[in-house]
Each structure stands twice: as C-alpha cells, then as structure tokens.
Amino acid sequence: NMETWTKEVVNNDFKAEQASGKIVLKIINTETKGNEHYMTDYNLYTKSVVLSLVKDGKQIKFTNLAKVWDFLGNSAKFKAYVKNEITSYLKEL
C-alpha cells in the first residue's frame, strides 16, 4: 500500500508540479545492488517514504516520513499525511 498510495498522491494531487519538474517521484528498491546506500543515506531500517529537497542539483535536506507506518491501515490518513508533507516541502522551493 505504501508505494501505491504514495504514487496516487503524487500523480493525482501534484500533476502540475510533476510536469514542471518540481516534483520527481522515484521508487527505489534498496535491496537492488548499488542502492544499499539509501538505507544509510536516509537513516532507514525498513521501507519508507522519503522527501528530499534539491536545489541547484544539491540535496538541501531530507525527511523520512516515518509516520506512514501509523497510517498503513487507513488510506485517507496516509494520503493526507504525505500530501501535507509534500506541500510543506514545495513552500521551500
């Protein structure tokens, strides 16, 4: 559900931002060889949703949306949480 609901939020609520390049959705399998570094880069211990703010090609900050685990049983709360966090990030662009 985590991947599906995150895609739905980005694809449905942030179409214009995706089209303009302000938002780029990347699904990364950390078990794929070469991607293991994401676990340490983003302080992960399991699957998660991570927001990364990039300006001029450099990551300024990131946030591990760890609360997504609290909402895996409720798509509306999950999506509202992710949407709110993305909206906050967009204000910093």
Side-chain angles (χ1 to χ4, degrees):
N1 289 343
M2 189 180 300
E3 182 177 330
T4 299
W5 292 345
T6 301
K7 284 179 182 178
E8 287 176 6
V9 169
V10 173
N11 293 334
N12 295 331
D13 297 320
F14 298 100
K15 287 180 186 178
E17 293 84 354
Q18 273 192 295
S20 70
K22 284 185 178 180
I23 290 181
V24 177
L25 175 64
K26 294 182 182 180
I27 307 298
I28 298 170
N29 182 343
T30 58
E31 294 177 3
T32 300
K33 187 172 182 168
N35 289 343
E36 305 90 347
H37 68 91
Y38 288 102
M39 296 299 288
T40 53
D41 292 352
Y42 296 114
N43 304 319
L44 303 175
Y45 59 90
T46 189
K47 297 175 186 177
S48 193
V49 176
V50 176
L51 299 181
S52 174
L53 180 62
V54 177
K55 288 186 180 181
D56 300 321
K58 295 182 182 180
Q59 180 175 276
I60 305 300
K61 73 173 190 172
F62 73 90
T63 303
N64 175 3
L65 302 185
K67 289 183 184 178
V68 293
W69 286 97
D70 297 339
F71 305 126
L72 280 181
N74 186 319
S75 67
K77 286 184 179 180
F78 180 101
K79 291 176 183 181
Y81 170 60
V82 172
K83 182 178 179 179
N84 183 55
E85 294 296 318
I86 292 172
T87 300
S88 292
Y89 259 60
L90 287 172
K91 291 177 184 175
E92 298 185 43
L93 292 178

Coordinates of all heavy atoms in Angstrom, one line a residue:
N1 N 0.8 -1.2 0.0 CA 0.0 0.0 0.0 C 0.8 1.3 0.0 O 0.5 2.3 -0.6 CB -0.9 0.0 1.2 CG -2.1 -1.0 1.1 OD1 -2.4 -1.5 0.0 ND2 -2.7 -1.3 2.2
M2 N 2.0 1.2 0.7 CA 2.8 2.4 0.8 C 3.2 3.0 -0.6 O 3.0 4.2 -0.8 CB 4.1 2.1 1.6 CG 4.9 3.3 2.0 SD 6.4 2.8 3.0 CE 5.7 2.0 4.4
E3 N 3.7 2.1 -1.4 CA 4.1 2.6 -2.8 C 2.9 3.1 -3.6 O 2.9 4.1 -4.2 CB 4.8 1.5 -3.5 CG 5.3 1.9 -4.8 CD 6.1 0.8 -5.5 OE1 6.8 0.0 -4.8 OE2 6.1 0.8 -6.8
T4 N 1.8 2.3 -3.6 CA 0.6 2.6 -4.3 C 0.0 3.9 -3.9 O -0.3 4.8 -4.7 CB -0.4 1.4 -4.2 OG1 0.2 0.2 -4.7 CG2 -1.7 1.8 -4.9
W5 N -0.2 4.1 -2.6 CA -0.8 5.3 -2.1 C 0.1 6.5 -2.3 O -0.4 7.6 -2.6 CB -1.2 5.2 -0.6 CG -2.3 4.2 -0.4 CD1 -3.1 3.6 -1.3 CD2 -2.6 3.6 0.9 NE1 -4.0 2.8 -0.7 CE2 -3.7 2.7 0.7 CE3 -2.1 3.7 2.2 CZ2 -4.3 2.0 1.7 CZ3 -2.7 3.0 3.2 CH2 -3.8 2.1 2.9
T6 N 1.4 6.4 -2.2 CA 2.3 7.5 -2.4 C 2.2 7.9 -3.9 O 2.1 9.1 -4.2 CB 3.7 7.1 -2.1 OG1 3.8 6.8 -0.7 CG2 4.7 8.3 -2.3
K7 N 2.2 6.9 -4.8 CA 2.1 7.2 -6.2 C 0.8 8.0 -6.5 O 0.7 8.9 -7.3 CB 2.1 5.9 -7.1 CG 3.5 5.3 -7.2 CD 3.4 4.1 -8.1 CE 4.7 3.4 -8.2 NZ 4.5 2.1 -9.0
E8 N -0.3 7.5 -5.9 CA -1.6 8.1 -6.1 C -1.6 9.6 -5.6 O -2.1 10.5 -6.3 CB -2.7 7.4 -5.3 CG -3.0 6.0 -6.0 CD -4.1 5.2 -5.2 OE1 -4.6 5.7 -4.2 OE2 -4.3 4.1 -5.6
V9 N -1.0 9.9 -4.5 CA -0.9 11.3 -4.0 C -0.1 12.1 -5.0 O -0.6 13.2 -5.4 CB -0.2 11.3 -2.6 CG1 0.1 12.8 -2.3 CG2 -1.1 10.7 -1.6
V10 N 1.0 11.7 -5.4 CA 1.9 12.5 -6.3 C 1.2 12.6 -7.7 O 1.1 13.7 -8.2 CB 3.3 11.9 -6.4 CG1 4.1 12.6 -7.5 CG2 4.0 11.9 -5.1
N11 N 0.7 11.5 -8.2 CA 0.1 11.6 -9.6 C -1.2 12.3 -9.6 O -1.6 12.9 -10.7 CB -0.1 10.1 -10.1 CG 1.3 9.5 -10.4 OD1 2.3 10.1 -10.6 ND2 1.3 8.1 -10.3
N12 N -2.0 12.3 -8.5 CA -3.3 12.9 -8.5 C -3.3 14.4 -8.0 O -4.0 15.2 -8.5 CB -4.3 12.1 -7.7 CG -4.6 10.8 -8.4 OD1 -4.5 10.6 -9.6 ND2 -4.9 9.8 -7.5
D13 N -2.5 14.6 -7.0 CA -2.5 15.9 -6.3 C -1.4 16.9 -6.8 O -1.5 18.1 -6.5 CB -2.4 15.7 -4.8 CG -3.6 15.0 -4.3 OD1 -4.8 15.3 -4.7 OD2 -3.5 14.1 -3.4
F14 N -0.4 16.4 -7.5 CA 0.7 17.2 -7.8 C 1.1 17.0 -9.3 O 2.3 17.0 -9.6 CB 1.9 16.9 -6.9 CG 1.7 17.2 -5.5 CD1 1.3 16.1 -4.6 CD2 1.7 18.4 -4.9 CE1 1.1 16.4 -3.2 CE2 1.5 18.7 -3.6 CZ 1.1 17.7 -2.8
K15 N 0.1 16.9 -10.1 CA 0.3 16.7 -11.6 C 1.2 17.9 -12.2 O 2.1 17.7 -12.9 CB -1.0 16.6 -12.3 CG -1.7 15.3 -12.1 CD -3.0 15.3 -12.9 CE -3.8 14.1 -12.6 NZ -5.1 14.1 -13.3
A16 N 0.8 19.1 -11.9 CA 1.5 20.3 -12.5 C 2.9 20.3 -12.0 O 3.8 20.6 -12.8 CB 0.7 21.5 -12.1
E17 N 3.1 20.0 -10.7 CA 4.5 20.0 -10.2 C 5.3 19.0 -10.8 O 6.5 19.2 -11.0 CB 4.4 19.9 -8.6 CG 3.8 21.1 -7.9 CD 2.3 21.1 -7.9 OE1 1.6 20.2 -8.5 OE2 1.7 21.9 -7.2
Q18 N 4.7 17.8 -11.1 CA 5.5 16.8 -11.8 C 5.8 17.2 -13.2 O 7.0 17.0 -13.6 CB 4.7 15.5 -11.8 CG 4.9 14.6 -10.6 CD 4.3 13.2 -10.9 OE1 3.1 13.0 -11.0 NE2 5.2 12.2 -10.9
A19 N 4.9 17.8 -13.9 CA 5.1 18.2 -15.2 C 6.1 19.3 -15.4 O 6.9 19.3 -16.3 CB 3.7 18.7 -15.8
S20 N 6.2 20.1 -14.3 CA 7.2 21.2 -14.4 C 8.6 20.7 -13.9 O 9.6 21.5 -14.0 CB 6.7 22.4 -13.5 OG 6.8 22.0 -12.2
G21 N 8.6 19.6 -13.3 CA 9.9 19.1 -12.7 C 10.1 19.4 -11.3 O 11.2 19.1 -10.7
K22 N 9.2 20.1 -10.7 CA 9.4 20.5 -9.3 C 9.3 19.3 -8.4 O 10.0 19.2 -7.3 CB 8.3 21.5 -8.8 CG 8.5 22.9 -9.2 CD 7.4 23.8 -8.6 CE 7.6 25.2 -9.1 NZ 6.5 26.1 -8.5
I23 N 8.6 18.3 -8.8 CA 8.5 17.0 -8.1 C 8.9 15.9 -9.0 O 8.4 15.8 -10.1 CB 7.0 16.7 -7.5 CG1 6.7 17.7 -6.4 CG2 6.9 15.3 -7.1 CD1 5.3 17.5 -5.9
V24 N 9.8 15.0 -8.5 CA 10.2 13.8 -9.2 C 10.0 12.7 -8.2 O 10.5 12.6 -7.1 CB 11.7 13.9 -9.6 CG1 12.1 12.6 -10.2 CG2 12.0 15.1 -10.5
L25 N 9.1 11.7 -8.6 CA 8.9 10.6 -7.8 C 9.8 9.4 -8.3 O 9.9 9.1 -9.4 CB 7.4 10.1 -8.0 CG 7.0 8.8 -7.3 CD1 7.1 9.0 -5.8 CD2 5.6 8.4 -7.8
K26 N 10.6 8.9 -7.3 CA 11.5 7.8 -7.6 C 11.1 6.7 -6.6 O 11.1 6.9 -5.4 CB 12.9 8.2 -7.3 CG 13.4 9.3 -8.3 CD 14.9 9.6 -8.1 CE 15.4 10.6 -9.0 NZ 16.8 10.9 -8.8
I27 N 10.9 5.5 -7.1 CA 10.7 4.3 -6.4 C 12.0 3.6 -6.4 O 12.5 3.2 -7.5 CB 9.5 3.4 -6.9 CG1 8.3 4.3 -7.1 CG2 9.3 2.2 -6.0 CD1 7.7 4.8 -5.9
I28 N 12.6 3.4 -5.2 CA 13.9 2.7 -5.2 C 13.9 1.5 -4.3 O 13.4 1.5 -3.2 CB 15.0 3.7 -4.6 CG1 15.1 4.9 -5.5 CG2 16.3 3.1 -4.4 CD1 15.9 6.1 -5.0
N29 N 14.3 0.4 -4.9 CA 14.4 -0.9 -4.2 C 15.8 -0.9 -3.5 O 16.8 -1.0 -4.2 CB 14.2 -2.0 -5.1 CG 14.2 -3.4 -4.4 OD1 14.7 -3.5 -3.3 ND2 13.7 -4.4 -5.0
T30 N 15.9 -0.8 -2.2 CA 17.2 -0.7 -1.5 C 17.8 -2.1 -1.5 O 19.0 -2.2 -1.1 CB 17.0 -0.2 -0.1 OG1 16.1 -1.0 0.6 CG2 16.5 1.3 -0.1
E31 N 17.1 -3.1 -1.9 CA 17.7 -4.5 -2.0 C 18.4 -4.7 -3.3 O 19.1 -5.7 -3.4 CB 16.7 -5.5 -1.7 CG 16.1 -5.4 -0.3 CD 15.0 -6.4 0.0 OE1 14.7 -7.2 -0.9 OE2 14.4 -6.4 1.1
T32 N 18.3 -3.8 -4.2 CA 18.9 -3.9 -5.5 C 20.4 -3.5 -5.4 O 20.7 -2.5 -4.7 CB 18.2 -3.0 -6.6 OG1 16.9 -3.5 -6.7 CG2 18.9 -3.1 -7.9
K33 N 21.3 -4.3 -5.9 CA 22.7 -4.0 -5.8 C 23.0 -2.6 -6.3 O 22.5 -2.2 -7.3 CB 23.5 -5.0 -6.6 CG 25.0 -4.9 -6.3 CD 25.8 -6.0 -7.0 CE 27.3 -5.8 -6.7 NZ 28.1 -6.9 -7.0
G34 N 23.7 -1.8 -5.5 CA 24.0 -0.4 -5.8 C 23.1 0.6 -5.1 O 23.4 1.7 -5.0
N35 N 22.0 0.1 -4.6 CA 21.0 1.0 -3.9 C 21.1 0.9 -2.4 O 20.4 1.6 -1.7 CB 19.6 0.7 -4.4 CG 19.3 1.1 -5.8 OD1 20.1 1.9 -6.4 ND2 18.3 0.6 -6.4
E36 N 22.0 0.1 -1.9 CA 22.0 -0.2 -0.5 C 22.3 1.1 0.3 O 21.9 1.3 1.4 CB 23.1 -1.2 -0.1 CG 22.9 -2.5 -0.8 CD 23.7 -2.6 -2.1 OE1 24.1 -1.6 -2.7 OE2 23.8 -3.8 -2.6
H37 N 23.1 2.0 -0.3 CA 23.5 3.2 0.4 C 22.3 4.1 0.8 O 22.4 4.9 1.7 CB 24.4 4.1 -0.5 CG 23.8 4.6 -1.7 ND1 23.2 5.9 -1.7 CD2 23.6 4.1 -3.0 CE1 22.7 6.1 -2.9 NE2 22.9 5.1 -3.7
Y38 N 21.2 4.0 0.2 CA 20.0 4.7 0.6 C 19.6 4.4 2.0 O 19.1 5.3 2.7 CB 18.8 4.5 -0.4 CG 19.0 5.1 -1.7 CD1 19.4 4.4 -2.8 CD2 18.8 6.5 -1.9 CE1 19.5 4.9 -4.1 CE2 19.0 7.1 -3.1 CZ 19.3 6.3 -4.2 OH 19.5 6.9 -5.4
M39 N 19.8 3.2 2.5 CA 19.5 2.9 3.8 C 20.3 3.7 4.8 O 19.7 4.2 5.8 CB 19.8 1.4 4.1 CG 18.9 0.4 3.3 SD 17.1 0.6 3.6 CE 17.0 -0.1 5.2
T40 N 21.5 3.9 4.6 CA 22.3 4.8 5.5 C 22.2 6.3 5.2 O 22.1 7.1 6.1 CB 23.8 4.4 5.5 OG1 24.3 4.4 4.1 CG2 24.1 3.0 6.0
D41 N 22.1 6.6 3.9 CA 21.9 8.0 3.5 C 20.7 8.6 4.2 O 20.7 9.8 4.5 CB 21.8 8.1 2.0 CG 23.0 7.8 1.2 OD1 24.1 7.5 1.8 OD2 22.9 7.7 0.0
Y42 N 19.6 7.8 4.3 CA 18.4 8.4 4.8 C 18.0 7.8 6.2 O 16.8 7.9 6.6 CB 17.2 8.2 3.8 CG 17.5 9.0 2.5 CD1 17.7 8.4 1.3 CD2 17.5 10.4 2.6 CE1 18.0 9.2 0.2 CE2 17.8 11.2 1.4 CZ 18.0 10.5 0.2 OH 18.3 11.3 -0.9
N43 N 18.9 7.1 6.8 CA 18.7 6.6 8.1 C 17.5 5.6 8.2 O 16.6 5.7 9.1 CB 18.5 7.7 9.2 CG 19.6 8.6 9.2 OD1 20.8 8.2 9.1 ND2 19.4 9.9 9.3
L44 N 17.4 4.8 7.2 CA 16.3 3.8 7.1 C 16.6 2.5 7.7 O 17.8 2.1 7.7 CB 15.9 3.6 5.6 CG 15.6 4.8 4.8 CD1 15.4 4.5 3.3 CD2 14.4 5.5 5.4
Y45 N 15.6 1.8 8.2 CA 15.8 0.5 8.7 C 14.8 -0.5 8.0 O 14.9 -1.7 8.1 CB 15.7 0.4 10.2 CG 14.3 0.9 10.8 CD1 13.3 0.0 10.9 CD2 14.2 2.2 11.1 CE1 12.1 0.5 11.4 CE2 13.0 2.7 11.6 CZ 11.9 1.8 11.8 OH 10.7 2.2 12.2
T46 N 13.8 0.1 7.3 CA 12.9 -0.6 6.5 C 12.3 0.3 5.5 O 12.8 1.4 5.3 CB 11.7 -1.2 7.5 OG1 10.9 -2.1 6.7 CG2 10.9 -0.1 8.1
K47 N 11.3 -0.2 4.8 CA 10.7 0.6 3.7 C 10.1 1.9 4.3 O 9.7 2.0 5.4 CB 9.5 -0.1 3.1 CG 9.9 -1.4 2.4 CD 8.7 -2.1 1.9 CE 9.1 -3.5 1.3 NZ 7.9 -4.3 0.9
S48 N 10.1 3.0 3.5 CA 9.6 4.2 3.9 C 9.3 5.1 2.7 O 9.6 4.8 1.6 CB 10.6 4.9 4.9 OG 10.0 6.0 5.5
V49 N 8.8 6.3 3.0 CA 8.7 7.4 2.1 C 9.6 8.5 2.5 O 9.6 8.9 3.7 CB 7.2 7.9 2.0 CG1 7.1 9.1 1.1 CG2 6.3 6.8 1.6
V50 N 10.5 8.9 1.6 CA 11.5 10.0 1.9 C 11.3 11.1 1.0 O 11.2 11.0 -0.2 CB 12.9 9.4 1.8 CG1 13.9 10.5 2.0 CG2 13.1 8.2 2.8
L51 N 11.2 12.3 1.6 CA 11.2 13.6 0.8 C 12.6 14.1 0.8 O 13.3 14.2 1.8 CB 10.2 14.6 1.4 CG 8.8 14.2 1.5 CD1 7.9 15.3 2.0 CD2 8.2 13.7 0.1
S52 N 13.0 14.6 -0.4 CA 14.4 15.2 -0.5 C 14.2 16.5 -1.2 O 13.7 16.6 -2.3 CB 15.3 14.2 -1.3 OG 16.5 14.8 -1.5
L53 N 14.7 17.6 -0.6 CA 14.6 18.9 -1.2 C 16.0 19.1 -1.9 O 17.0 19.1 -1.3 CB 14.4 19.9 -0.1 CG 14.3 21.4 -0.6 CD1 13.2 21.6 -1.5 CD2 14.2 22.3 0.6
V54 N 15.9 19.3 -3.2 CA 17.1 19.5 -4.0 C 17.0 20.9 -4.7 O 16.0 21.3 -5.3 CB 17.2 18.4 -5.1 CG1 18.4 18.7 -6.0 CG2 17.3 17.0 -4.5
K55 N 18.1 21.7 -4.5 CA 18.2 23.0 -5.1 C 19.5 23.0 -5.8 O 20.5 22.7 -5.3 CB 18.1 24.1 -4.1 CG 16.7 24.3 -3.5 CD 16.7 25.5 -2.6 CE 15.3 25.8 -2.0 NZ 15.3 27.0 -1.2
D56 N 19.5 23.5 -7.1 CA 20.7 23.6 -7.9 C 21.4 22.3 -7.9 O 22.7 22.3 -7.9 CB 21.6 24.7 -7.4 CG 20.9 26.1 -7.5 OD1 20.1 26.3 -8.4 OD2 21.1 26.9 -6.5
G57 N 20.7 21.2 -8.0 CA 21.4 19.9 -8.1 C 21.9 19.3 -6.8 O 22.5 18.2 -6.8
K58 N 21.7 20.0 -5.7 CA 22.3 19.6 -4.4 C 21.1 19.3 -3.4 O 20.2 20.2 -3.3 CB 23.2 20.6 -3.8 CG 24.5 20.7 -4.7 CD 25.4 21.7 -4.0 CE 26.7 21.9 -4.9 NZ 27.6 22.8 -4.3
Q59 N 21.2 18.3 -2.7 CA 20.2 18.0 -1.7 C 20.4 19.0 -0.5 O 21.5 19.0 0.1 CB 20.3 16.6 -1.2 CG 19.3 16.3 -0.1 CD 19.3 14.8 0.3 OE1 18.7 14.0 -0.3 NE2 20.0 14.5 1.4
I60 N 19.4 19.7 -0.2 CA 19.4 20.7 0.9 C 19.0 20.0 2.2 O 19.6 20.2 3.3 CB 18.5 21.9 0.7 CG1 18.8 22.5 -0.7 CG2 18.5 22.9 1.8 CD1 20.2 23.0 -0.8
K61 N 18.0 19.2 2.2 CA 17.5 18.4 3.3 C 16.7 17.3 2.9 O 16.3 17.2 1.7 CB 16.7 19.3 4.3 CG 15.3 19.7 3.8 CD 14.6 20.5 4.9 CE 13.1 20.6 4.5 NZ 12.3 21.2 5.6
F62 N 16.4 16.4 3.8 CA 15.5 15.3 3.6 C 14.7 15.0 4.8 O 15.1 15.3 5.9 CB 16.3 14.0 3.1 CG 17.0 13.3 4.2 CD1 16.4 12.3 5.0 CD2 18.3 13.6 4.5 CE1 17.1 11.7 6.0 CE2 19.0 13.0 5.5 CZ 18.4 12.0 6.2
T63 N 13.6 14.3 4.6 CA 12.7 13.9 5.7 C 12.2 12.5 5.5 O 11.7 12.2 4.4 CB 11.5 14.9 5.9 OG1 11.9 16.2 6.0 CG2 10.6 14.4 7.1
N64 N 12.4 11.6 6.4 CA 11.9 10.3 6.4 C 10.5 10.4 7.0 O 10.4 10.7 8.1 CB 12.8 9.3 7.2 CG 12.2 7.9 7.3 OD1 11.2 7.6 6.7 ND2 12.9 7.1 8.0
L65 N 9.5 10.1 6.2 CA 8.1 10.2 6.6 C 7.8 8.9 7.4 O 6.9 8.1 7.0 CB 7.2 10.4 5.5 CG 7.4 11.7 4.6 CD1 6.3 11.8 3.6 CD2 7.5 12.9 5.5
A66 N 8.4 8.7 8.5 CA 8.2 7.5 9.3 C 6.8 7.3 9.8 O 6.4 6.1 10.0 CB 9.2 7.5 10.5
K67 N 6.0 8.3 9.9 CA 4.6 8.2 10.4 C 3.7 7.4 9.3 O 2.6 7.1 9.7 CB 4.0 9.5 10.7 CG 4.5 10.2 11.9 CD 3.8 11.5 12.2 CE 4.4 12.1 13.5 NZ 3.8 13.4 13.7
V68 N 4.2 7.2 8.1 CA 3.4 6.5 7.2 C 3.1 5.1 7.7 O 2.0 4.6 7.4 CB 4.1 6.3 5.8 CG1 4.3 7.6 5.1 CG2 5.5 5.6 5.9
W69 N 3.9 4.5 8.6 CA 3.6 3.2 9.2 C 2.4 3.3 10.1 O 1.7 2.3 10.2 CB 4.8 2.7 9.9 CG 5.9 2.3 9.0 CD1 7.0 3.0 8.6 CD2 6.0 1.0 8.3 NE1 7.7 2.2 7.7 CE2 7.1 1.0 7.5 CE3 5.1 -0.1 8.3 CZ2 7.5 -0.1 6.7 CZ3 5.5 -1.2 7.5 CH2 6.6 -1.2 6.7
D70 N 2.2 4.5 10.7 CA 1.0 4.6 11.6 C -0.3 4.6 10.8 O -1.4 4.3 11.3 CB 1.1 5.9 12.3 CG 2.3 6.0 13.3 OD1 2.8 4.9 13.6 OD2 2.7 7.1 13.7
F71 N -0.2 4.9 9.5 CA -1.4 5.1 8.7 C -1.6 4.0 7.6 O -2.5 4.2 6.7 CB -1.4 6.5 8.0 CG -1.3 7.6 9.0 CD1 -0.3 8.5 8.8 CD2 -2.1 7.7 10.1 CE1 -0.1 9.6 9.7 CE2 -2.0 8.8 11.0 CZ -1.0 9.7 10.8
L72 N -0.9 2.9 7.7 CA -1.0 1.9 6.6 C -2.4 1.2 6.6 O -2.7 0.7 5.6 CB 0.1 0.8 6.8 CG 1.5 1.3 6.2 CD1 2.5 0.1 6.4 CD2 1.4 1.6 4.8
G73 N -3.1 1.3 7.7 CA -4.4 0.8 7.7 C -5.5 1.7 7.3 O -6.7 1.4 7.2
N74 N -5.1 3.0 6.9 CA -6.1 4.0 6.6 C -5.6 4.8 5.4 O -4.8 5.8 5.6 CB -6.4 4.9 7.8 CG -7.5 5.9 7.6 OD1 -7.6 6.5 6.6 ND2 -8.3 6.1 8.6
S75 N -6.1 4.6 4.2 CA -5.5 5.2 3.0 C -5.7 6.8 3.1 O -4.9 7.5 2.7 CB -6.1 4.7 1.8 OG -7.5 4.9 1.6
A76 N -6.9 7.2 3.6 CA -7.2 8.6 3.7 C -6.2 9.4 4.6 O -5.7 10.4 4.2 CB -8.6 8.9 4.1
K77 N -5.9 8.8 5.7 CA -4.9 9.4 6.6 C -3.5 9.4 6.1 O -2.8 10.4 6.2 CB -5.0 8.8 8.0 CG -6.2 9.1 8.8 CD -6.2 8.5 10.2 CE -7.4 8.9 11.0 NZ -7.4 8.4 12.4
F78 N -3.2 8.3 5.5 CA -1.9 8.1 4.9 C -1.7 9.2 3.8 O -0.7 9.9 3.8 CB -1.7 6.7 4.2 CG -0.4 6.4 3.6 CD1 0.6 5.7 4.2 CD2 -0.2 6.9 2.3 CE1 1.8 5.4 3.6 CE2 1.0 6.7 1.6 CZ 2.0 5.9 2.3
K79 N -2.6 9.3 2.9 CA -2.5 10.2 1.8 C -2.5 11.7 2.3 O -1.8 12.5 1.7 CB -3.7 10.0 0.8 CG -3.5 8.7 0.0 CD -4.7 8.4 -0.9 CE -4.7 7.1 -1.6 NZ -5.8 6.9 -2.5
A80 N -3.3 12.0 3.3 CA -3.4 13.3 3.8 C -2.0 13.7 4.4 O -1.5 14.8 4.2 CB -4.5 13.5 4.8
Y81 N -1.4 12.8 5.1 CA -0.1 13.0 5.7 C 1.0 13.3 4.7 O 1.7 14.2 4.7 CB 0.3 11.8 6.6 CG 1.7 11.8 7.1 CD1 2.2 12.8 7.9 CD2 2.5 10.7 6.8 CE1 3.5 12.7 8.4 CE2 3.8 10.6 7.2 CZ 4.3 11.7 8.0 OH 5.6 11.6 8.5
V82 N 1.0 12.4 3.7 CA 2.0 12.5 2.6 C 1.8 13.8 1.8 O 2.7 14.6 1.6 CB 2.0 11.3 1.7 CG1 2.9 11.5 0.5 CG2 2.5 10.0 2.4
K83 N 0.5 14.1 1.5 CA 0.2 15.4 0.8 C 0.6 16.6 1.6 O 1.2 17.5 1.0 CB -1.3 15.4 0.5 CG -1.7 16.6 -0.3 CD -3.2 16.6 -0.6 CE -3.6 17.9 -1.4 NZ -5.0 17.9 -1.8
N84 N 0.4 16.6 2.8 CA 0.7 17.7 3.7 C 2.2 17.9 3.7 O 2.7 19.0 3.7 CB 0.2 17.5 5.1 CG 0.4 18.7 6.0 OD1 0.1 19.8 5.7 ND2 1.1 18.4 7.2
E85 N 3.0 16.8 3.9 CA 4.4 16.9 3.9 C 5.0 17.4 2.6 O 5.9 18.2 2.6 CB 5.0 15.6 4.3 CG 4.7 15.1 5.7 CD 5.2 16.0 6.8 OE1 6.4 16.5 6.7 OE2 4.5 16.3 7.8
I86 N 4.5 16.9 1.5 CA 5.0 17.4 0.2 C 4.6 18.9 0.0 O 5.5 19.6 -0.5 CB 4.3 16.6 -1.0 CG1 4.9 15.1 -0.9 CG2 4.6 17.2 -2.3 CD1 4.2 14.2 -1.9
T87 N 3.5 19.3 0.4 CA 3.1 20.7 0.3 C 4.0 21.6 1.1 O 4.4 22.6 0.6 CB 1.6 20.9 0.8 OG1 0.8 20.1 -0.1 CG2 1.2 22.3 0.7
S88 N 4.4 21.1 2.3 CA 5.4 21.9 3.1 C 6.7 22.0 2.4 O 7.3 23.1 2.4 CB 5.6 21.2 4.4 OG 4.4 21.3 5.2
Y89 N 7.1 21.0 1.8 CA 8.4 21.0 1.0 C 8.3 22.0 -0.1 O 9.3 22.7 -0.4 CB 8.8 19.6 0.5 CG 9.9 18.9 1.4 CD1 9.6 18.7 2.7 CD2 11.1 18.6 0.9 CE1 10.6 18.1 3.5 CE2 12.1 18.0 1.6 CZ 11.8 17.7 3.0 OH 12.8 17.1 3.7
L90 N 7.2 21.9 -0.9 CA 7.1 22.8 -2.0 C 7.2 24.3 -1.6 O 7.6 25.1 -2.5 CB 5.8 22.5 -2.7 CG 5.7 21.2 -3.5 CD1 4.3 21.0 -4.0 CD2 6.7 21.3 -4.7
K91 N 6.8 24.6 -0.4 CA 6.9 26.0 0.0 C 8.3 26.5 0.1 O 8.6 27.7 0.1 CB 6.2 26.2 1.4 CG 4.6 26.0 1.3 CD 4.0 26.1 2.6 CE 2.5 25.9 2.5 NZ 1.8 25.8 3.8
E92 N 9.2 25.6 0.2 CA 10.6 25.9 0.3 C 11.4 26.1 -1.0 O 12.5 26.4 -1.0 CB 11.3 24.9 1.2 CG 10.8 24.8 2.6 CD 11.6 23.9 3.5 OE1 12.8 23.9 3.5 OE2 10.9 23.1 4.2
L93 N 10.7 25.8 -2.1 CA 11.3 25.9 -3.4 C 11.4 27.4 -3.8 O 10.7 28.2 -3.5 CB 10.6 25.1 -4.4 CG 10.6 23.6 -4.2 CD1 9.8 22.9 -5.3 CD2 12.1 23.1 -4.3

